[in-house]
Amino acid sequence: MCGRDYEASVRLSIVENTYRLNHINQTYDFVKKTREEYAKLNKAEMSIWEAIELLDSFVDESDPDLDEPQIQHLLQSAEAIRKDYPNEDWLHLTALIHDLGKVLFHSKFGSLPQWAVVGDTQPVGCAFDESIVYHKYFKENPDYNNPAYNTKLGIYSEGCGLENVLMSWGHDDYMYLVAKANGTALPSAALFTIRYHSFYPLHKKGAYQYLMNEEDRENMKWVQKFNKYDLYSKSSVRIDVEKVKPYYESLIKKYFPEKLRW
């Protein structure tokens, strides 16, 4: 099945329920509190590859197309990008690590529920755009009727930059925090891609563009390129992990310290 074919998915009820809970519970206050807690990076110390192995048994319930272990999805994305952009090694590594924030699901990280780890992301602190998947469930979110948060701009100003916008909490923002705090040498486009790769209302529907600044617009070009591989590299062709591992380990060594605080 290509892309996010929500309506035809055999797992639709699971997917829809994850979004229902996400839309009800992801309030501005919840995000602020949760982000502050996880920004402490006091949950674990491990290498990038150890985090990849930790994810290997995990299937993402928000994704109607994916029943593969995460390590296969990560390597399928990375290998597809490597083929098309052989000289952009930072992009290969970005593909490999973009979903590592899903370790939040693990008991070591507090076993967060699916709705606080996976799925499309959206800003909190301003109105929920109509283009967001399963929008109807936002009506049960306390922020929906809060005049401080339910206008087009809410607490933000036009062109303030996504850096200053609080996004619903999940694996994107968490992996961004981990990479940045551990002093990664990855370029800003890589960090931006990790942080916003699930922000589908913006890069698929064009919503919330009025919050972006010039740097966001430049970086968004890389997200657009990347997402083609994130969505459509979910093939049934299994990657030989041991064969490609040395290459990716060399990239990890180039761009990250050996052990990271999570």
Side-chain angles (χ1 to χ4, degrees):
M1 194 192 303
C2 267
R4 299 191 158 229
D5 191 356
Y6 288 106
E7 300 311 314
S9 172
V10 291
R11 293 167 56 214
L12 180 64
S13 59
I14 300 172
V15 173
E16 181 166 354
N17 194 49
T18 299
Y19 279 108
R20 184 180 70 83
L21 293 169
N22 174 289
H23 293 353
I24 293 168
N25 293 302
Q26 291 266 6
T27 62
Y28 181 83
D29 290 343
F30 166 80
V31 173
K32 201 166 185 298
K33 192 173 105 232
T34 308
R35 195 174 198 266
E36 281 166 9
E37 170 57 33
Y38 282 92
K40 293 173 188 170
L41 301 180
N42 59 2
K43 307 285 182 266
E45 189 175 287
M46 58 183 174
S47 68
I48 292 284
W49 202 267
E50 283 169 332
I52 291 170
E53 289 174 341
L54 196 61
L55 277 194
D56 205 20
S57 61
F58 177 69
V59 171
D60 179 348
E61 286 183 5
S62 75
D63 190 334
D65 307 328
L66 187 60
D67 280 306
E68 282 280 325
Q70 287 290 305
I71 195 166
Q72 283 298 318
H73 165 54
L74 297 176
L75 286 170
Q76 285 163 359
S77 300
E79 285 291 281
I81 285 183
R82 183 181 173 190
K83 193 166 161 251
D84 290 354
Y85 295 91
N87 302 321
E88 310 285 354
D89 70 354
W90 63 270
L91 199 55
H92 313 165
L93 184 58
T94 301
L96 183 73
I97 69 171
H98 76 281
D99 273 348
L100 289 192
K102 290 178 184 177
V103 294
L104 289 170
F105 188 66
H106 196 271
S107 57
K108 202 183 277 191
F109 295 83
S111 303
L112 285 186
Q114 292 267 345
W115 59 263
V117 181
V118 294
D120 299 2
T121 58
Q122 67 275 334
V124 292
C126 61
F128 302 113
D129 192 84
E130 291 284 340
S131 67
I132 299 170
V133 68
Y134 299 121
H135 182 275
K136 62 187 178 187
Y137 295 117
F138 284 119
K139 291 187 174 75
E140 297 174 64
N141 183 309
D143 292 357
Y144 187 82
N145 293 311
N146 184 333
Y149 300 143
N150 67 5
T151 60
K152 178 182 168 178
L153 287 170
I155 62 170
Y156 307 113
S157 56
E158 196 141 348
C160 64
L162 295 181
E163 169 70 31
N164 299 304
V165 174
L166 207 56
M167 299 294 294
S168 55
W169 178 251
H171 71 280
D172 304 54
D173 202 24
Y174 181 54
M175 189 58 208
Y176 163 79
L177 289 174
V178 169
K180 196 170 166 66
N182 282 282
T184 182
L186 285 169
S188 69
L191 289 170
F192 187 93
T193 300
I194 291 165
R195 194 176 192 180
Y196 301 111
H197 71 270
S198 301
F199 190 5
Y200 287 96
L202 175 60
H203 45 77
K204 288 285 178 249
K205 306 287 188 181
Y208 299 106
Q209 288 186 38
Y210 44 84
L211 296 174
M212 295 168 80
N213 60 23
E214 203 43 55
E215 191 185 353
D216 294 335
R217 278 185 277 277
E218 276 305 304
N219 284 330
M220 189 51 69
K221 293 171 189 171
W222 285 106
V223 178
Q224 304 279 18
K225 287 174 184 167
F226 170 80
N227 262 74
K228 193 174 75 167
Y229 299 91
D230 189 22
L231 282 179
Y232 299 107
S233 66
K234 296 166 183 176
S235 67
S236 54
V237 180
R238 294 186 78 83
I239 305 284
D240 183 340
V241 178
E242 292 311 309
K243 191 177 167 192
V244 299
K245 188 176 176 182
Y247 173 70
Y248 289 102
E249 285 198 312
S250 75
L251 295 189
I252 292 165
K253 198 172 179 182
K254 178 177 175 180
Y255 289 105
F256 280 97
E258 193 179 338
K259 292 279 186 185
L260 285 74
R261 289 180 301 112
W262 297 74

